[in-house]
């Protein structure tokens, strides 16, 4: 793992692979850089890939007081390590973080977003007091309950899906990263697509969604692409909230190297 130091002194760790135009990868909730292990081999023959651990995850450090601005600085620190300007791919809440970084003026040449989980009219939203209750569960050390609460009340999983998730090998890693769920909650803000702020953005942006995702994530992808002056949407084969890496990889290569 390579490391850079963010503006507030936090160490951010990343893996680097391949040669060619730089692309930085950042994941969403419950994910560290290993989430891209199956995608990197499709990118590395054509791009220099920087897959990093967001703060509080993997081998990256953290700070006592979280702010979305610090995560934007983290991304810029990785971009600086990649030469000062790079394409960026973000998935889920990482897509919203990447978009916020672009809106804040980060040195992003092109932006690719996988299903940013905005809440558009007509779809459910987390309950009032969601963030406070999540914080209380984590403060009490009830990490498993915090994960269940996030999946049920924020993501919208029915109880049977949560049970399947708990029975999967992913559950232990989800509990290990439960303390970062408030970070993703903060990144997603009030859940609305920031149409007014996006109107002035001039970064070429590709918004990707799976052909087997849920209706609200599809609606969010459509709304995001429509709000971007230089944005377009592309639907690709996949499962819920994920596109097959052997399909996504060549699309990202074409987008970054065009």
């Amino acid at each position: 793992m390579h490391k850079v130091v963010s503006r507030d002194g936090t160490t951010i760790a990343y893996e680097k692979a391949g040669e060619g135009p730089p692309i930085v990868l950042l994941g969403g909730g419950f994910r560290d850089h290993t989430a891209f292990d199956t995608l990197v081999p499709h990118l590395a023959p054509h791009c220099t890939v920087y897959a990093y651990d967001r703060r509080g995850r993997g081998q990256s450090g953290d700070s006592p007081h979280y702010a979305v601005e610090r995560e934007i600085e983290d991304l810029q620190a990785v971009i600086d390590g990649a030469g000062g300007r790079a394409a960026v791919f973000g998935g889920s809440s990482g897509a919203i973080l990447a978009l916020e970084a672009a809106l804040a003026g980060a040195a992003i040449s092109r932006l690719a977003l996988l299903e940013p989980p905005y809440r558009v009219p007509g779809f459910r939203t987390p309950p009032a007091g969601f963030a406070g209750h999540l914080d209380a569960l984590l403060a009490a050390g009830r990490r498993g309950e915090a994960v269940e609460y996030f999946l049920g009340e924020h993501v919208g999983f029915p109880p049977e899906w949560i049970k399947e998730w708990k029975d999967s090998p992913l559950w232990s890693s989800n509990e290990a990263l439960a303390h970062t769920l408030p970070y993703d909650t903060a990144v997603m803000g009030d859940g609305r697509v920031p149409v007014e702020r996006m109107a002035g953005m001039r970064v070429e942006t590709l918004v990707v969604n799976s052909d087997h995702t849920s209706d609200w994530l599809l609606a969010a992808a459509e709304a995001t692409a429509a709000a971007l002056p230089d944005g377009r949407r592309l639907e690709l084969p996949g499962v819920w909230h994920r596109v097959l890496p052997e399909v996504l990889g060549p699309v990202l290569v074409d987008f970054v190297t065009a």
Side-chain angles (χ1 to χ4, degrees):
M1 296 287 284
H2 303 264
K3 294 184 178 179
V4 293
V5 179
S6 193
R7 185 174 180 178
D8 71 344
T10 300
T11 299
I12 303 298
Y14 65 91
E15 282 194 344
K16 178 181 176 182
E19 290 188 12
I23 180 171
V24 178
L25 313 179
L26 65 154
F30 303 113
R31 298 291 180 261
D32 60 17
H33 78 278
T34 61
F36 299 110
D37 283 354
T38 58
L39 178 62
V40 170
H42 298 281
L43 302 176
H46 313 279
C47 305
T48 307
V49 186
Y50 298 79
Y52 78 97
D53 289 330
R54 288 170 55 190
R55 63 174 53 209
R57 310 171 195 227
Q59 296 186 40
S60 288
D62 206 351
S63 58
H65 304 292
Y66 178 82
V68 176
E69 291 78 9
R70 303 293 81 76
E71 287 226 65
I72 293 173
E73 292 165 359
D74 298 345
L75 174 54
Q76 182 62 59
V78 177
I79 292 173
D80 289 343
R85 189 170 180 82
V88 172
F89 169 73
S92 192
S93 60
I96 295 180
L97 176 58
L99 181 55
E100 287 295 328
L103 290 169
I108 297 173
S109 56
R110 292 186 179 186
L111 186 62
L113 310 174
L114 174 65
E115 298 191 358
Y118 289 116
R119 305 288 174 163
V120 296
F123 293 92
R124 68 182 299 278
T125 59
F130 172 84
H133 186 62
L134 180 64
D135 287 342
L137 290 172
L138 292 168
R142 296 156 64 181
R143 300 176 73 89
E145 290 180 53
V147 173
E148 290 188 51
Y149 182 67
F150 186 89
L151 291 175
E153 299 299 332
H154 204 295
V155 183
F157 275 16
E160 59 271 20
W161 287 20
I162 296 176
K163 183 180 184 307
E164 288 180 14
W165 200 296
K166 289 181 71 173
D167 292 339
S168 77
L170 287 173
W171 187 255
S172 60
S173 64
N174 290 346
E175 284 193 336
L177 290 173
H179 63 283
T180 63
L181 292 176
Y183 302 179
D184 292 292
T185 301
V187 165
M188 290 183 278
D190 63 9
R192 294 181 294 180
V193 180
V195 175
E196 295 82 5
R197 291 192 292 130
M198 290 163 63
M201 197 171 109
R202 293 296 180 265
V203 179
E204 184 177 354
T205 304
L206 176 66
V207 182
V208 176
N209 68 270
S210 163
D211 61 355
H212 281 78
T213 200
S214 51
D215 290 344
W216 71 272
L217 288 170
L218 171 59
E222 291 173 337
T224 302
L228 289 163
D230 199 3
R232 63 185 175 92
R233 184 178 67 87
L234 182 63
E235 185 166 284
L236 296 172
V239 294
W240 179 82
H241 211 27
R242 181 173 177 268
V243 169
L244 301 175
E246 60 269 26
V247 175
L248 179 60
V251 168
L252 291 179
V253 168
D254 286 348
F255 183 60
V256 171
T257 61

